[in-house]
Amino acid sequence: EHKPASYRIVIMSRSDASVGLMDAAYFVSKNELLAFFNATLDMNLTKIEQTCTGAVACQLCEYIFPRSIPVSRIDWSCKASFEYVANYKLLQAAFTKNRVRRHLDVDKLIQGKFQINLEFCQWLKAWHDQQVPDRGDYDAAAVRAKGKGGKNLPPQFRSRASGSAGGGGAAPP
């Protein structure tokens, strides 16, 4: 029997909702988070605030759920907070598609303030650790190259192996 849409039940992933405020995930240091993102996604992040564009979260989501985000639409070159919103829309769509229950306070995240971005990065790392084994075959730099601005990445988003290759660009906060 077909039920109307309002009566359908959507099963959400439990692991994403299981990271509570007192979870050990929220005691991970900024240096450990930066090392995690830099190693996992082959980047050169030096500040948590550089994740405020949403591009790093989009790539991590794509790493966990391959092909869940159209990587060509991730904007690595955005410089103003209003431009970051498009990346968060991609992320939210991927969360919905993969039944990840996580509220994104985009208005706060795009401000580039340390504390809110730190907490989101801590959640992202815990979510990653619960979801994914190491993907040794993942070429993070090649994935970024397919995105907007991927051929001329800001320094913090360039491959650690290439160092200064990939052009310049203003860094987000």
Side-chain angles (χ1 to χ4, degrees):
E1 215 177 290
H2 179 71
K3 293 182 178 183
S6 61
Y7 291 102
R8 290 187 188 155
I9 298 173
V10 176
I11 306 298
M12 302 300 252
S13 170
R14 290 187 184 164
S15 60
D16 49 283
S18 69
V19 181
L21 284 176
M22 293 309 293
D23 191 282
Y26 289 103
F27 296 97
V28 175
S29 73
K30 71 173 184 164
N31 291 333
E32 187 176 341
L33 290 169
L34 292 171
F36 161 74
F37 285 118
N38 287 338
T40 305
L41 300 177
D42 189 21
M43 296 183 160
N44 287 298
L45 296 173
T46 57
K47 300 188 304 186
I48 291 296
E49 296 89 330
Q50 293 170 325
T51 65
C52 73
T53 67
V56 173
C58 283
Q59 186 167 10
L60 188 66
C61 184
E62 195 278 332
Y63 178 92
I64 294 169
F65 298 115
R67 295 172 297 286
S68 62
I69 290 184
V71 293
S72 64
R73 293 180 52 204
I74 300 173
D75 191 347
W76 294 97
S77 63
C78 53
K79 295 176 179 69
S81 60
F82 69 89
E83 295 174 309
Y84 306 163
V85 174
N87 286 336
Y88 284 105
K89 285 182 180 180
L90 293 173
L91 183 63
Q92 189 62 65
F95 279 3
T96 301
K97 176 180 177 182
N98 292 290
R99 294 189 227 109
V100 176
R101 210 175 356 172
R102 173 65 186 190
H103 171 72
L104 297 175
D105 193 344
V106 175
D107 290 335
K108 289 185 179 177
L109 288 166
I110 64 174
Q111 291 176 12
K113 295 201 172 151
F114 174 78
Q115 190 63 40
I116 189 80
N117 283 281
L118 175 71
E119 290 170 7
F120 185 54
C121 287
Q122 289 168 328
W123 179 86
L124 284 170
K125 182 181 184 313
W127 178 58
H128 166 274
D129 292 349
Q130 292 174 354
Q131 298 290 324
V132 134
D134 181 41
R135 284 186 53 197
D137 63 334
Y138 187 77
D139 188 346
V143 170
R144 276 193 302 283
K146 295 175 186 175
K148 294 179 186 175
K151 302 281 190 245
N152 191 22
L153 292 168
Q156 71 272 16
F157 299 137
R158 294 183 194 147
S159 170
R160 293 177 302 147
S162 65
S164 62

